[in-house]
Amino acid sequence: MKGHCLIVQSGGPTAVINNSLIGIIDAALNSTFKGNVYGSVGGLHGLLNGDFMNLSHLSLEERHRLRWTPGAALGSWRYRLTASDIETIVEKLKKEDIRYFFYIGGNGSMNVALMIDEQAKKIGYELRVIGVPKSIDNDLMGTDHSPGFGSAAKFLATCMLDIKMDMKSYTASNRITILETMGRHAGWLAGACSLVEEIDDNCKHLIYVPEVPFGMNEFMKKMESLNKEKQSAVVVVSEGIRDSNDQVISEKSLNKDILGREKLGGVSSYLTDTIQGELGIQARYILPSTWQRSSMLFAAKTDLVEAYEVGQKAWFYAMNNCSGVMIALVRSDDKASYQVSYDTVLLEEVAGKERFVPEGWYDKEKCSMSIDFKNYVRPIIQGEVMLPTRDGLPIYGHVI
């Protein structure tokens, strides 16, 4: 099928999202494909306004540099689409003779991809739509894990280790340190901090995930008990933890974002103030914020390679007449050796759905993760990325 290709990056960026972009471009340029490879500038904004840039002319060096550059090179944009917008998008794709459409994003993005695929079919426009998974939250259905999660998990586990080493320096301290991770409804990132809890440093670990209702009374009792035992602790909380009434744990009501979701963040400062105000115990909080999804220094090479391969497989399946699917990572059953293969899953089985930490992988009483959880995460964070530098700082690339 003749025509051109368009790639979109959507949702929150990650440390390795550009690897999926380059994976698609490399596969296209190394094939017999004669059309142009375009990128949508600003994600949905470019789609709605027909702002496409030609990526076919990126040199090998430029493409290579983008592989170790964090953030979405094409740009992203949060926007709530209407049915009319979907019609507009498909008409613009038709006008520009886009026949291969790749949408890199999370579960919300897969829903957009599904709507575009359905609209194209509705008007009889031949368009191959491929979803390319990306999520630091690791909440995508249909895939063993999501590219972007491994690097964010490695970053947070490293943060946890560094914090523990700092706290170990003060042998008489019993301060409470609260580390707040991203994770609106799923606790995969918070759970990843459990990878360093075996280190013997007289530091208690407690992890709170959104999947399990948060009890303030029980929490405060644990803090009081730790203080009496003169034991320091690192408490890891997902930003989206909620009480038994499904209310976000926060001091104030939260504003909504453009998608109608509560703007999260701040649970760690609220808990810190509560501990200090009601118990008089020394406490502090740490907010990695967007750093956890944008740090290339602690990116996992496994994650980088898989993100690139996902892009390449997206091109392969598009060339083999697939449409309305997302690329999925499939983990081998071999426990002795971590390996993944790639398959497809229907967009309708992924779109708008969320994948949570299995109930059996979290101990509610101990507020800790099981060995099965750790065995699941540990292979994904393996490998280091060596960053080229100039004057002591990384050399990143750019497109827009």
Side-chain angles (χ1 to χ4, degrees), residues 6 37-41 51-56 58 73-74 399-400:
L6 179 67
V37 179
Y38 293 108
S40 177
V41 178
D51 189 2
F52 307 152
M53 67 179 302
N54 197 335
L55 303 175
S56 303
L58 288 176
L74 293 174
V399 174
I400 57 175

Side-chain angles (χ1 to χ4, degrees), residues 301-319:
K301 188 172 183 179
T302 295
D303 192 29
L304 184 149
V305 170
E306 289 178 350
Y308 180 78
E309 290 179 347
V310 159
Q312 293 215 306
K313 291 298 181 180
W315 181 262
F316 169 80
Y317 281 107
M319 292 302 104

Side-chain angles (χ1 to χ4, degrees), residues 1-11 17 19-29 31 33 35-44 46-47 52 55-56 74-75 89 93 97-106 109-114 116-117 125 127-134 307-327 344 347:
M1 181 171 61
K2 295 181 179 180
H4 305 294
C5 156
L6 179 67
I7 307 170
V8 184
Q9 292 178 316
S10 187
I17 187 174
N19 281 274
S20 296
L21 168 69
I22 301 304
I24 299 168
I25 297 172
D26 282 354
L29 296 182
S31 72
F33 181 65
N36 290 322
V37 179
Y38 293 108
S40 177
V41 178
L44 282 174
L47 271 182
F52 307 152
L55 303 175
S56 303
L74 293 174
I89 288 171
L93 297 178
D97 196 24
I98 302 297
R99 297 290 182 169
Y100 304 92
F101 183 80
F102 300 91
Y103 208 92
I104 307 172
S109 299
M110 294 306 118
N111 193 44
V112 174
L114 175 61
I116 290 173
D117 182 62
Y125 180 63
L127 178 71
R128 294 177 191 169
V129 178
I130 306 291
V132 183
K134 173 265 344 170
Y308 180 78
E309 290 179 347
V310 159
Q312 293 215 306
K313 291 298 181 180
W315 181 262
F316 169 80
Y317 281 107
M319 292 302 104
N320 281 273
N321 301 320
C322 287
S323 186
V325 299
M326 183 190 80
I327 307 303
T344 61
L347 284 173

Side-chain angles (χ1 to χ4, degrees), residues 47-66:
L47 271 182
L48 285 167
N49 295 280
D51 189 2
F52 307 152
M53 67 179 302
N54 197 335
L55 303 175
S56 303
H57 306 306
L58 288 176
S59 68
L60 182 61
E61 180 182 355
E62 289 172 322
R63 302 198 308 271
H64 186 58
R65 180 169 293 182
L66 285 172

